[in-house]
Amino acid sequence: MPPYAVPDDASSVARPVPGADVIPLGDLVDLARTSLDMPIGLLLLDTPPAVIARGLAPEERPCPQVLAALAHGSNPCLIEDARPALPGLPGIACYAAVPVNVDGTVVGSFAVMDRAPRALPADLIERLDAFARLAAGLVRAAHVSDAMTRAARERDAALARYKKMYDRSSSLAKIGVWECELATGEISWTDGVYDIFDLPRGSVIPRDHVLALYADRSRAEMEAMRAKAIAEGDGFTLDVEITTSGGERRWVRLSADIECVDGKPIRIFGTKQDITLERQLMDRLRLLAECDPLTGIANRGVFESRLAEAAAAERGRNQLAALAIIDVDGFKQINDTFGHAAGDECLREMSRRLRLAFGEDALVARIGGDEFGVLAFGVAEEGRIAGLAARAIASLSQPFLWRNRRVAVSGSMGVTLAGGSVAPAQLFVQADRALYAAKEAGRNTYRLYDAKAHRLGPSGRRLTISAIRSG
């Protein structure tokens, strides 16, 4: 039971009452003593703990025990003459009190008093009880207000926790939320988006400044998809390349949706996620799937796929001009003499020379142990292709350096011109026959396929491989 005490001025609340700024309990006590024609009013509350007194002098303060008894009385009390005074209430001779009941629980007492004995009206208790009910209503409102305040604080604390969790997860996932008002072009970002672009958090960023950070191709593609989404009220997802304000290249996955009111688009919003690491991993996987791990050039699968695509493509500037197959002369002898590490270096050097000889537009691939394939594009003119082949053979015949030793090496090449309706497998067979002719001619040379001169040769390893590819 709380130790009640009346303040020295005997006119204010002993403890703060939640919601007291909107619940005038003191005014209610004044109204009660005035309406009931009693000079003293006293409201005692357990919940919230409070003592509100009006008209009492300091020396007339009730003792804590009396206050506690008054606050927890469950029945009305009326005393007209208690001279010389009520015990524990010095100077008080006349007294009336009723309990304050909130939802079936007594939480205090409402009393009016006089210093002299007097006859009290028969309806005094009933009228005082009406004030007690008003006090109960105000206390109930205080409880509701207090509960609402606590709920609001708990909600704010929960929101703060969730925001902290969101910020942490967004930081880990490198993702953020954005929106743009279509009428004004004003954009809003969460911290995650600012971090992706390396821009100060919370800063005002004009849209044209953001667009300038996109790579040209990504910007054009994004603007086209944005316009289409706004026109159709539909969303889209796009991977774009940006250069941050700090000069770092990144890949961002942009997701967007449209908000409409009365069928009209008013806002575009979505997420942006840094997928640079994902792209790098995908590039590495693609490299492993498409490149020869020893030389770094295309592998056989890519070569055959590109050959099929090129053969099916329409004639034009980037049409397939020729197919060449190259074997390293004496490769087994290099392995046997200098070791497999020297053989590996030989293959790397041959691939580098072939790329230089045929140029960036050509596809150079390792299609076997010491076998390379080349797809040359452009005009299928015999003189031009022969020039490229001769340049490649001259380059391949230069010794390569292995542990300060010059190792002799050369290559043999078979070339066939593309054109007409020759199937990819048949082009490969033709180049293979030309290569056979180059080897028959003493190696370290090339031969262009001649349908009359290069008839089907003796069966062997190379023609067997070609037959498998044809199937």
Side-chain angles (χ1 to χ4, degrees), residues 327-331 370 393 397 410-413 435-447 461-462:
D327 260 6
V328 180
D329 298 329
F331 181 70
D370 62 340
I393 290 296
S397 66
S410 63
S412 299
M413 180 186 304
L435 174 60
Y436 183 82
K439 287 180 175 289
E440 287 289 304
R443 303 179 184 271
N444 192 23
T445 188
Y446 74 92
R447 287 293 183 267
R461 182 187 65 86
R462 191 168 301 283

Side-chain angles (χ1 to χ4, degrees), residues 153-166:
R153 288 173 180 168
E154 291 172 358
R155 179 200 62 209
D156 292 343
L159 287 174
R161 289 196 305 272
Y162 293 145
K163 183 180 184 302
K164 191 173 183 179
M165 291 170 59
Y166 171 80

Side-chain angles (χ1 to χ4, degrees), residues 221-249:
E221 190 174 2
M222 186 269 293
E223 287 289 76
M225 295 187 72
R226 181 180 187 270
K228 183 175 182 291
I230 293 172
E232 299 178 357
D234 201 4
F236 66 90
T237 299
L238 176 67
D239 292 352
V240 296
E241 184 182 10
I242 67 167
T243 301
T244 70
S245 63
E248 182 179 350
R249 290 180 59 194

Side-chain angles (χ1 to χ4, degrees), residues 115-459:
R115 296 175 181 84
R118 55 184 288 188
L120 297 174
D123 63 348
L124 178 66
I125 291 296
E126 181 180 352
R127 293 167 63 191
L128 182 59
D129 186 59
F131 282 100
R133 288 196 300 271
L134 286 174
L138 293 176
V139 169
R140 186 181 296 108
H143 291 169
V144 172
S145 175
D146 190 33
M148 291 178 64
T149 300
R150 287 197 307 270
R153 288 173 180 168
E154 291 172 358
R155 179 200 62 209
D156 292 343
L159 287 174
R161 289 196 305 272
Y162 293 145
K163 183 180 184 302
K164 191 173 183 179
M165 291 170 59
Y166 171 80
D167 290 341
R168 287 179 176 176
S169 60
S170 295
S171 178
L172 290 173
K174 297 183 178 181
I175 193 172
V177 179
W178 62 273
E179 67 175 17
C180 178
E181 301 291 336
L182 297 179
T184 62
E186 180 182 357
I187 59 177
S188 300
W189 288 352
T190 61
D191 289 347
V193 181
Y194 283 104
D195 294 345
I196 289 173
F197 285 86
D198 281 341
L199 291 168
R201 292 182 177 182
S203 57
V204 178
I205 310 296
R207 186 169 182 270
D208 56 353
H209 180 76
V210 178
L211 290 176
L213 299 177
Y214 283 73
D216 292 343
R217 182 176 178 179
S218 292
R219 180 171 56 251
E221 190 174 2
M222 186 269 293
E223 287 289 76
M225 295 187 72
R226 181 180 187 270
K228 183 175 182 291
I230 293 172
E232 299 178 357
D234 201 4
F236 66 90
T237 299
L238 176 67
D239 292 352
V240 296
E241 184 182 10
I242 67 167
T243 301
T244 70
S245 63
E248 182 179 350
R249 290 180 59 194
R250 288 178 181 167
W251 279 93
V252 177
R253 178 157 296 145
L254 168 64
S255 298
D257 209 342
I258 303 296
E259 180 181 350
C260 295
V261 174
D262 298 329
K264 296 181 179 180
I266 63 167
R267 184 179 295 108
I268 184 169
F269 64 95
T271 61
K272 293 181 181 181
Q273 182 178 18
D274 184 348
I275 59 167
T276 305
L277 180 58
E278 177 185 329
R279 292 284 296 214
Q280 291 172 347
L281 292 175
M282 290 300 296
D283 288 343
R284 290 175 186 173
L285 289 175
R286 185 164 50 251
L287 189 66
L288 291 173
E290 298 180 352
C291 293
D292 173 58
L294 176 63
T295 61
I297 61 176
N299 59 21
R300 173 179 165 177
V302 173
F303 180 84
E304 293 180 346
S305 176
R306 285 289 302 276
L307 173 59
E309 292 174 3
E314 296 181 0
R315 312 302 290 175
R317 180 175 176 272
N318 294 321
Q319 67 186 15
L320 179 63
L323 184 153
I325 300 176
I326 303 97
D327 260 6
V328 180
D329 298 329
F331 181 70
K332 184 178 183 303
Q333 184 179 356
I334 294 175
N335 269 338
D336 293 343
T337 304
F338 299 99
H340 288 283
D344 291 346
E345 179 61 25
C346 173
L347 294 176
R348 284 190 287 266
E349 181 63 22
M350 297 298 259
S351 67
R352 186 186 69 82
R353 294 179 185 182
L354 286 171
R355 281 184 292 178
L356 289 174
F358 281 95
E360 294 181 356
D361 293 337
L363 173 69
V364 178
R366 184 184 177 201
I367 58 177
D370 62 340
E371 185 179 41
F372 296 88
V374 177
L375 299 179
F377 297 88
V379 180
E381 196 274 316
E382 182 175 329
R384 184 178 79 89
I385 299 303
L388 290 174
R391 182 168 64 184
I393 290 296
S395 177
L396 296 178
S397 66
Q398 299 300 313
F400 72 94
L401 197 63
W402 172 249
R403 293 180 179 175
N404 297 320
R405 296 181 62 179
R406 293 169 62 85
V407 180
V409 67
S410 63
S412 299
M413 180 186 304
V415 185
T416 184
L417 298 178
S421 57
V422 181
Q426 187 61 29
L427 286 175
F428 203 98
V429 170
Q430 292 173 0
D432 201 56
R433 291 175 182 171
L435 174 60
Y436 183 82
K439 287 180 175 289
E440 287 289 304
R443 303 179 184 271
N444 192 23
T445 188
Y446 74 92
R447 287 293 183 267
L448 289 172
Y449 173 73
D450 185 331
K452 295 180 180 180
H454 303 150
R455 291 193 299 271
L456 185 62
S459 60

